[in-house]
Amino acid sequence: MKKLTRSQFLQVSIMLFGLFFGAGNLIFPPLLGNQAGTATYISLLAFSVTAVLFPVVGSILVGKTNGLTNLANRVGPVFSVVFTTAIYLSIGPGLGIPRAGSVPFEMAIAPYVPESFSLGLARFLYTLVFFAIAMTICLKPNKLVKRIGKYLTPTLLVLIFIMFIRVVTMSRNVAMPTGDYATGPVTKGFLAGYDTMDAVAALNFGFVIAQAIRRFGITDEKEVTKYEVKAGMLAGTVLFIVYAMLATIGMIGSAKFRGLENGAQVLTETVKFVLGDFGLVLLASIFTLACLTTCVGLITSGGEYFESLFNNKLSYKSWVFIWTLFSFIMANFGLNKLLEFSVPLLQIIYPVALVLIVMGISHDYVNYSRVAYISAAVVSVVLPLVEVLDKTFNLNLGVFTDMLVSLPLYKEGLSWLLPTLVVLVLATLVSKVMVGLRQTNVARTTNN
């Protein structure tokens, strides 16, 4: 039976880390450290549940079920198509890919473009080169592991380590927690992990990793799953270590750099303070590499899914071109408008994605019924939908909104959690009781 070499396994694992680690992963941990201050590490542990644990488990689960479509099909075929397409669109050209192209420019390049030079033209040229490189890599999926796992991501890790080593030598000025971190560091950290979008991205990347393992000649599905589990654990470990370094960077200067609005500003001010102009070049390189690897993963997974969805009427390469072109246009001209639609959509589908991950990974032990999947999915979609309509669009649905507001954890944005858990338990118990009654009746009929 063919096995992966140590080098091949490391490349696959580092590739998975690289697919996860994009713009959000780079900027949210420093902001957490800056705002949580002395409560950084307890907040980081909560952050890691939604930003490390769920993504790793999700990627393993999708590889095990041979694709997100098969996992979502446990709820139903219509849900499977709608949910899977919504995920690929929202985290792909609807948000993730355009953001991957625009964020490194806005955060690391734009502040230093000379006033005499057109900012719009600078963005156009930067994103043109960025997306051209991304598309070139995506057009040859057989070389993804080598290009991302062997070259791009290791370079990114080295640059982050250099930044971290230099920052930790500066004098510590750790502040007390502010904002929501002062009142609920665990809950705030947990919700901050949402912003990385990795639990949803994992549902895309799991199949990419499984395919990468198969391209090394691993044909036994048990072996593929085994390597996915190991690769996920290693990628998750590296992800947590990098998050800890970035959060520490934010924490160290939290008293010195107060009132910053986002993690990019935290990194920029901190790195500029300790490394000067070289630090800005270093940071620009880190942002670009981080976003490029994630962008490649999103385009690749989306191209493969839509090629299958439309029965190969358009080739994989055609979908890669379409997604890249659309994302390039949005990154330059329509990102803000796109965010108005895609962010609320993400808030609606994220909870049900977490629910499916938990149910999928425990399915072999509990053997959930179709009713249990449907019940949990309905509750974890409807409640976030009502909450988004209320909080984002100020649309009150009368008794439904009033009921939602009265639920525990509404203010924290987790009103769906307890009702989903209760419905899941009840549906599972009822299903098992019904199965038991049917088996008893069959046994009686047979005996008679």
Side-chain angles (χ1 to χ4, degrees):
M1 184 182 296
K2 185 174 175 58
K3 303 284 187 180
L4 290 182
T5 66
R6 180 175 297 181
S7 174
Q8 290 170 338
F9 171 72
L10 288 175
Q11 288 177 41
V12 169
S13 303
I14 296 303
M15 173 183 168
L16 179 57
F17 165 84
L19 296 181
F20 279 137
F21 196 81
N25 312 75
L26 188 57
I27 63 179
F28 293 126
L31 184 63
L32 181 151
N34 179 266
Q35 295 181 343
T38 55
T40 291
Y41 293 121
I42 188 172
S43 297
L44 178 65
L45 289 176
F47 175 87
S48 298
V49 173
T50 45
V52 178
L53 181 60
F54 274 106
V56 169
V57 171
S59 65
I60 294 171
L61 178 60
V62 169
K64 184 178 179 180
T65 56
N66 201 27
L68 174 57
T69 301
N70 292 331
L71 173 62
N73 200 48
R74 292 177 177 177
V75 179
V78 174
F79 174 85
S80 178
V81 173
V82 173
F83 173 71
T84 305
T85 303
I87 281 188
Y88 276 105
L89 288 177
S90 62
I91 202 173
L95 175 59
I97 303 174
R99 189 177 76 170
S102 64
V103 165
F105 175 82
E106 297 293 342
M107 298 303 182
I109 305 296
Y112 311 104
V113 174
E115 293 184 5
S116 58
F117 195 87
S118 169
L119 189 63
L121 178 58
R123 181 188 296 107
F124 180 88
L125 294 174
Y126 177 89
T127 54
L128 179 64
V129 174
F130 179 92
F131 283 113
I133 294 173
M135 186 172 70
T136 300
I137 296 174
C138 292
L139 288 175
K140 294 184 178 180
N142 289 336
K143 296 185 178 181
L144 274 182
V145 174
K146 185 175 183 179
R147 290 173 170 174
I148 295 181
K150 192 173 182 179
Y151 298 120
L152 295 178
T153 303
T155 302
L156 170 64
L157 288 172
V158 169
L159 295 180
I160 292 175
F161 185 71
I162 291 173
M163 177 177 66
F164 172 74
I165 290 298
R166 185 62 187 89
V167 170
V168 293
T169 61
M170 66 182 282
S171 59
R172 292 187 170 228
N173 294 281
V174 183
M176 296 298 292
T178 61
D180 292 336
Y181 286 105
T183 56
V186 174
T187 301
K188 178 60 178 176
F190 182 88
L191 291 174
Y194 271 31
D195 296 332
T196 66
M197 302 189 298
D198 276 348
V200 175
L203 301 179
N204 295 12
F205 296 153
F207 190 62
V208 175
I209 294 299
Q211 289 292 83
I213 294 171
R214 293 185 184 105
R215 289 188 181 109
F216 279 119
I218 308 300
T219 55
D220 185 275
E221 289 304 315
K222 291 184 179 179
E223 285 294 300
V224 173
T225 301
K226 183 184 75 173
Y227 281 122
E228 272 217 284
V229 171
K230 291 182 177 180
M233 293 176 64
L234 180 55
T237 301
V238 176
L239 198 57
F240 178 78
I241 292 172
V242 172
Y243 282 155
M245 290 194 293
L246 292 172
T248 300
I249 288 174
M251 179 191 71
I252 287 175
S254 56
K256 183 177 183 62
F257 304 112
R258 302 293 288 173
L260 298 180
E261 296 180 357
N262 57 63
Q265 292 179 356
V266 174
L267 285 176
T268 300
E269 293 299 324
T270 305
V271 171
K272 186 177 180 180
F273 178 78
V274 297
L275 290 172
D277 292 337
F278 170 74
L280 301 179
V281 175
L282 175 65
L283 194 59
S285 302
I286 290 173
F287 266 104
T288 300
L289 283 174
C291 292
L292 181 61
T293 54
T294 298
C295 183
V296 166
L298 292 172
I299 294 174
T300 300
S301 58
E304 291 178 341
Y305 170 71
F306 275 87
E307 181 187 28
S308 174
L309 180 65
F310 290 97
N311 297 318
N312 301 315
K313 291 181 180 178
L314 279 179
S315 67
Y316 164 78
K317 291 184 177 181
S318 297
W319 281 111
V320 166
F321 178 77
I322 291 171
W323 275 43
T324 305
L325 179 61
F326 180 83
S327 300
F328 167 71
I329 294 171
M330 289 298 103
N332 280 274
F333 306 110
L335 185 59
N336 291 335
K337 286 294 181 182
L338 204 58
L339 292 176
E340 293 177 7
F341 169 77
S342 57
V343 170
L345 177 61
L346 198 60
Q347 292 172 339
I348 294 169
I349 64 177
Y350 211 102
V352 70
L354 298 183
V355 170
L356 284 179
I357 290 173
V358 171
M359 293 183 69
I361 207 67
S362 59
H363 181 85
D364 291 342
Y365 306 100
V366 181
N367 193 25
Y368 298 106
S369 65
R370 174 64 62 87
V371 172
Y373 274 102
I374 293 174
S375 302
V378 168
V379 175
S380 58
V381 168
V382 171
L383 293 185
L385 172 61
V386 176
E387 186 170 331
V388 166
L389 291 175
D390 178 36
K391 291 183 176 180
T392 304
F393 300 103
N394 296 318
L395 181 59
N396 190 297
L397 299 182
V399 65
F400 295 105
T401 302
D402 294 339
M403 180 187 68
L404 184 72
V405 172
S406 66
L407 290 173
L409 303 177
Y410 172 77
K411 292 183 179 179
E412 291 83 358
L414 294 171
S415 59
W416 58 272
L417 185 58
L418 291 179
T420 302
L421 179 61
V422 170
V423 167
L424 176 59
V425 171
L426 289 176
T428 301
L429 290 175
V430 170
S431 297
K432 291 188 178 300
V433 169
M434 295 299 293
V435 170
L437 290 175
R438 282 197 296 269
Q439 290 175 343
T440 301
N441 290 334
V442 170
R444 288 176 179 174
T445 301
T446 302
N447 291 332
N448 291 335

